[in-house]
Amino acid sequence: MLALLLGSFFIYNSVGSIDESALQTLSLVVNLTKQLQVRSNDSSSDVEEISEYFPSFLWVLRDFMLRLVDNEGSRITPKQYLENALKP
């Protein structure tokens, strides 16, 4: 945890496309924020306050080759692909 907080970036390196198993593995980030307290006398911290102490998150996809199209076959941006992959 200390190494994560001292770094400038938190790099999540995954192989292949974004799928359910990649999202389950990514839940580590969510669990880390549950362990972080900004003040010793405060049991709960808001997201904005915690984000000041957390490094920037960078998701690196290796060996990833995919045509970026939506369900209708229209081209989409990488950002739109990620947003679609994260939808329930």
Side-chain angles (χ1 to χ4, degrees):
M1 173 75 98
L2 183 59
L4 175 65
L5 294 174
L6 291 175
S8 300
F9 281 94
F10 176 57
I11 300 174
Y12 178 69
N13 189 1
S14 63
V15 178
S17 64
I18 299 172
D19 57 4
E20 186 177 346
S21 65
L23 294 175
Q24 287 177 351
T25 306
L26 187 61
S27 68
L28 166 71
V29 176
V30 175
N31 291 330
L32 285 174
T33 60
K34 292 177 184 176
Q35 302 297 321
L36 181 66
Q37 290 184 355
V38 177
R39 291 185 211 97
S40 61
N41 60 356
D42 188 12
S43 62
S44 65
S45 301
D46 64 346
V47 174
E48 292 174 7
E49 193 172 20
I50 289 175
S51 68
E52 292 179 24
Y53 299 98
F54 249 69
S56 298
F57 179 72
L58 179 65
W59 192 341
V60 178
L61 296 173
R62 294 184 302 129
D63 302 328
F64 179 70
M65 186 170 175
L66 181 69
R67 288 185 37 226
L68 296 177
V69 293
D70 60 8
N71 293 338
E72 290 83 37
S74 303
R75 293 184 57 93
I76 58 174
T77 65
K79 182 178 180 180
Q80 290 170 322
Y81 171 76
L82 178 62
E83 289 173 358
N84 291 342
L86 295 176
K87 287 180 183 176

